[in-house]
Amino acid sequence: MSRSLCFLAIATLFFSACSTRGPGAFRSYNYAPSSTSKTYCDDKSAYCATPPKKKYSKATMRPYVVHGKKYYPQVVSVGDTFRGNASWYGPNFHGKYTSNGERYNMWAMTAAHKTLPMNTIVKVTNRRNGKSTVVRINDRGPFVSTRIIDLSKAAASKISMIGTGTAPVTLEVLGFEGKGKRSIPTKKELKKLPQKMSMTGKYAIQIGSFSKIQGALLTQEKYDNTDGYKTIIKDVDGDDGRMFKVWLTGFKGEQEARDYKANGKFRNAFIVRED
């Protein structure tokens, strides 16, 4: 087969979105939850009110056919609700490609839906017990007429439906994940963050200070693991109000912190002492 024909075949398979859990799997079969698995909050202000325009042109928004039935992905509005049955999928699909090209991670807060736009943020409530969770749509399915959504194992665990396999649920559209949007941790969660980190020293370098959490989260994500050092966010109440300070941590002592600061990588950074 020529290169052009090979490329065409691959592109057709991917963009048709028919094979929603395609080939490929993580080489590691360690199914322990990942500390980097992203979670979402139910605060609608944390997400875009409408899908970013670039999302509309995604190939996965085009009509597609599965088992002889044609599906038409449709844009929905914040606040729209739907009722139906939820199912979940786990180890057999862990690491395989989803419809939008991501790798399925059964510990991430994601789900498959037949027609919602990719990256739609949805609140899922189990009508049997009232428990709810928030997920991002990144796959197509489930292709069973009696089911409305296929949850990751982590999401299914949140609403206690692992044992039953399915559950009657209500879906509520909270928003659409876009560039720069993040789920916003509560003040209590942020205060716990430093205690969860493994510190090897008592000194850190402050590389940023923000009055809004979004700036701190972006800075933390951008510089985490820089030269092997970890970033944390300190939630501080001061004379100027609530501030979110980003610290680079993991220095073995004051001298190591001073030597690193001296390399000039972070302008206006300064050394701080861990509590």
Side-chain angles (χ1 to χ4, degrees), residues 12-242:
T12 300
L13 176 63
F14 177 76
F15 290 125
S16 67
C18 292
S19 180
T20 61
R21 285 138 203 174
F26 292 130
R27 293 186 178 181
S28 171
Y29 289 90
N30 177 12
Y31 293 137
S34 169
S35 60
T36 60
S37 295
K38 191 171 182 179
T39 58
Y40 302 90
C41 66
D42 58 6
D43 180 3
K44 295 181 182 180
S45 65
Y47 316 109
C48 298
T50 58
K53 289 184 178 180
K54 289 184 178 180
K55 302 293 183 185
Y56 285 108
S57 62
K58 289 288 186 181
T60 47
M61 284 298 288
R62 298 173 184 165
Y64 62 96
V65 178
V66 174
H67 303 316
K69 183 175 181 179
K70 197 167 188 176
Y71 296 90
Y72 297 87
Q74 297 179 339
V75 176
V76 291
S77 301
V78 173
D80 285 353
T81 59
F82 308 90
R83 290 165 70 94
N85 292 316
S87 52
W88 65 275
Y89 58 125
N92 290 340
F93 303 100
H94 189 65
K96 294 185 178 181
Y97 289 110
T98 63
S99 292
N100 71 348
E102 296 178 10
R103 294 274 191 173
Y104 171 61
N105 178 358
M106 67 181 180
W107 299 115
M109 302 303 291
T110 59
H113 192 280
K114 291 184 281 288
T115 58
L116 288 177
M118 290 295 169
N119 298 306
T120 300
I121 305 298
V122 181
K123 183 177 182 179
V124 183
T125 302
N126 186 337
R127 299 204 305 272
R128 285 177 179 156
N129 55 28
K131 294 183 178 181
S132 63
T133 189
V134 180
V135 297
R136 176 176 62 88
I137 303 300
N138 74 337
D139 203 0
R140 290 299 181 214
F143 298 108
V144 178
S145 61
T146 57
R147 299 176 189 174
I148 191 173
I149 195 169
D150 225 356
L151 300 174
S152 67
K153 183 175 182 180
S157 297
K158 292 285 186 181
I159 60 174
S160 300
M161 57 162 283
I162 293 293
T164 59
T166 61
V169 297
T170 298
L171 309 184
E172 180 187 359
V173 177
L174 299 182
F176 307 89
E177 186 182 66
K179 186 177 181 180
K181 294 292 181 178
R182 296 290 188 277
S183 55
I184 303 176
T186 63
K187 186 174 181 179
K188 183 178 180 180
E189 289 172 336
L190 281 171
K191 283 191 172 181
K192 287 182 178 180
L193 185 59
Q195 283 71 45
K196 291 180 181 179
M197 302 297 293
S198 176
M199 301 299 178
T200 58
K202 295 183 179 181
Y203 292 89
I205 295 178
Q206 181 168 308
I207 60 175
S209 181
F210 305 85
S211 60
K212 294 184 178 180
I213 184 61
Q214 286 88 347
L217 287 169
L218 288 171
T219 300
Q220 180 189 34
E221 181 179 341
K222 181 178 180 179
Y223 294 110
D224 195 37
N225 284 322
T226 296
D227 297 325
Y229 298 108
K230 300 290 292 183
T231 53
I232 63 170
I233 296 176
K234 284 281 189 174
D235 186 1
V236 179
D237 283 319
D239 295 335
D240 296 327
R242 188 179 180 187

